[in-house]
């Protein structure tokens, strides 16, 4: 005859697999495709981040419910994608203005009549692509952007995909001791790091803007102003050192974090088509456009939305 305590323990152990399965099922349901009350289909493209939103024409006026649903999808998935969109510069600005204030990019002149819209272009003969390194947009500004939006005008027959990385997951995967260390640190971001500055030389040359050096200091661990979640807020393109540390002193820890924050399990990959749109949250996601389409032209319109001071 089994003792009561042993009997209860065996019963608990038998229940654990079913409980674990239930937890896995609940987690899976959070990531599976779903339709919304606004009639949109939201389909995650990876386990880490990213979702395509279907059944919406962004050139038409959006209801408050649809706008709310799209914003919630952005907060939930960090980067959202749309297909087969046909937008003029005016309608593109009207769409993005529902989620923030479009602002001018500091180094590249906007298109004619629409200074907030820049052309992210790589010509057939060029070998360097714009922003072709892992980064969060313009983190060297004291108030970096909330998000960025890209609309594909011309795409190569292959290549030119964009990678995205979830910085919530990157932070959460760190050890408690390293989290504690990083909680006291601030990162110095600069526009002059060579890996990043060389990727915009052609476009700066086109627009005739001065290439002044911009620099800002932000927390290494940032708290999202809308979700309250913490994420890493550094990137190899712009973060040069920790405040109060030299570059040599900062390099070992920064190099570890730069490699850690782009692990495959934190990422998704998006393949562009003409009319595709990507809208990402710069406060918690990195991106990297892949430069693997030499000899072909790739042209995008980009709009940047004003953000807040990282805390």
């Amino acid at each position: 005859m089994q003792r009561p305590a042993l009997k209860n323990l065996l019963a608990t152990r038998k229940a654990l697999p079913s409980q674990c399965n239930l937890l896995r099922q609940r987690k899976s349901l959070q990531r599976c495709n779903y339709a919304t009350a606004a009639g949109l289909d939201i389909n995650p493209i990876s386990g880490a981040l990213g979702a395509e939103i279907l059944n919406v024409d962004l050139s038409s006026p959006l209801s408050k419910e649809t706008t709310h649903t799209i914003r919630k999808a952005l907060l939930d998935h960090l980067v959202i994608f749309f297909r087969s969109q046909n937008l003029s510069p005016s309608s593109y600005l009207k769409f993005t203005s529902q989620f923030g204030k479009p602002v001018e990019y500091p180094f590249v002149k906007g298109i004619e009549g629409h200074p907030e819209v820049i052309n992210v272009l790589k010509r057939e003969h060029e070998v360097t692509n714009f922003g072709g390194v892992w980064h969060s947009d313009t983190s060297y500004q004291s108030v970096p952007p909330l998000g960025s939006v890209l609309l594909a005008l011309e795409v190569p027959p292959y290549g030119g995909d964009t990678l995205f990385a979830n910085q919530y997951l990157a932070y959460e995967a760190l050890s408690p001791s390293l989290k504690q260390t990083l909680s006291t640190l601030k990162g110095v971001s600069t526009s002059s790091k060579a890996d990043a500055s060389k990727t915009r030389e052609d476009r700066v040359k086109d627009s005739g803007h001065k290439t002044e050096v911009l620099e800002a200091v932000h927390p290494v661990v940032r708290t999202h102003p809308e979700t309250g979640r913490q994420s890493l807020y550094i990137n190899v393109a712009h973060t040069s050192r920790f405040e109060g540390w030299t570059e040599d002193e900062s390099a070992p820890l920064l190099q570890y974090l730069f490699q850690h924050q782009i692990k495959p399990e934190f990422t998704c990959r998006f393949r562009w088509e003409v009319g595709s749109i990507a809208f990402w949250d710069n406060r918690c996601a990195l991106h990297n456009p892949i430069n693997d389409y030499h000899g072909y032209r790739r042209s995008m319109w980009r709009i940047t939305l004003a953000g807040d001071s990282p805390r």
Side-chain angles (χ1 to χ4, degrees), residues 109-139:
K109 184 179 179 181
I111 65 175
E112 185 68 31
H114 301 279
E116 306 92 345
V117 183
I118 68 169
N119 188 13
V120 176
L121 172 68
K122 182 187 175 189
R123 301 186 180 95
E124 294 87 342
H125 65 278
E126 294 174 337
V127 296
T128 303
N129 66 331
F130 186 90
V133 61
W134 280 105
H135 65 286
S136 177
D137 286 328
T138 63
S139 62

Side-chain angles (χ1 to χ4, degrees), residues 133-140 144-145 222 233-235 237-238 280-287:
V133 61
W134 280 105
H135 65 286
S136 177
D137 286 328
T138 63
S139 62
Y140 45 75
R222 177 176 186 173
Y233 194 65
I234 57 169
N235 64 90
H238 304 312
W280 62 91
D281 191 332
N282 271 304
R283 300 166 293 186
C284 52
L286 301 182
H287 62 284

Side-chain angles (χ1 to χ4, degrees), residues 45-50 77-79 81 133-136 162-171 231-235 257-270 280-289:
I45 68 168
S46 84
L49 75 167
H77 300 283
L78 287 65
V79 54
F81 309 104
V133 61
W134 280 105
H135 65 286
S136 177
T162 301
L163 299 170
F164 298 88
N166 184 329
Q167 296 309 288
Y168 292 143
L169 296 183
Y171 172 73
S231 66
L232 284 181
Y233 194 65
I234 57 169
N235 64 90
L257 293 172
F258 293 154
Q259 292 301 312
H260 168 79
Q261 67 184 169
I262 57 169
K263 285 182 177 179
E265 59 265 36
F266 304 151
T267 68
C268 73
R269 180 170 180 148
F270 182 66
W280 62 91
D281 191 332
N282 271 304
R283 300 166 293 186
C284 52
L286 301 182
H287 62 284
N288 181 11

Side-chain angles (χ1 to χ4, degrees), residues 47-198:
L49 75 167
E52 287 194 353
I53 300 181
L54 309 177
N55 300 332
V56 61
D57 178 4
L58 302 181
S59 66
S60 301
L62 302 180
S63 68
K64 288 184 178 180
E65 183 182 21
T66 298
T67 302
H68 173 77
T69 300
I70 291 173
R71 189 175 194 92
K72 184 178 185 304
L74 176 66
L75 295 176
D76 289 346
H77 300 283
L78 287 65
V79 54
I80 51 178
F81 309 104
F82 305 87
R83 299 284 189 184
S84 305
Q85 300 295 324
N86 183 16
L87 301 178
S88 66
S90 296
S91 58
Y92 188 28
L93 278 166
K94 186 174 181 179
F95 161 64
T96 55
S97 295
Q98 296 174 87
F99 303 94
K101 179 184 177 182
V103 292
E104 295 184 36
Y105 181 72
F107 294 113
V108 178
K109 184 179 179 181
I111 65 175
E112 185 68 31
H114 301 279
E116 306 92 345
V117 183
I118 68 169
N119 188 13
V120 176
L121 172 68
K122 182 187 175 189
R123 301 186 180 95
E124 294 87 342
H125 65 278
E126 294 174 337
V127 296
T128 303
N129 66 331
F130 186 90
V133 61
W134 280 105
H135 65 286
S136 177
D137 286 328
T138 63
S139 62
Y140 45 75
Q141 293 183 303
S142 59
V143 182
L146 173 160
S148 301
V149 193
L150 270 183
L151 167 62
L153 305 178
E154 299 175 73
V155 298
Y158 55 81
D161 297 356
T162 301
L163 299 170
F164 298 88
N166 184 329
Q167 296 309 288
Y168 292 143
L169 296 183
Y171 172 73
E172 290 164 2
L174 297 174
S175 68
S177 294
L178 184 50
K179 288 178 182 176
Q180 180 61 36
T181 297
L182 297 180
S183 70
T184 65
L185 297 179
K186 293 185 177 181
V188 178
S189 286
T190 175
S191 63
S192 63
K193 282 192 76 175
D195 284 351
S197 61
K198 71 181 182 182

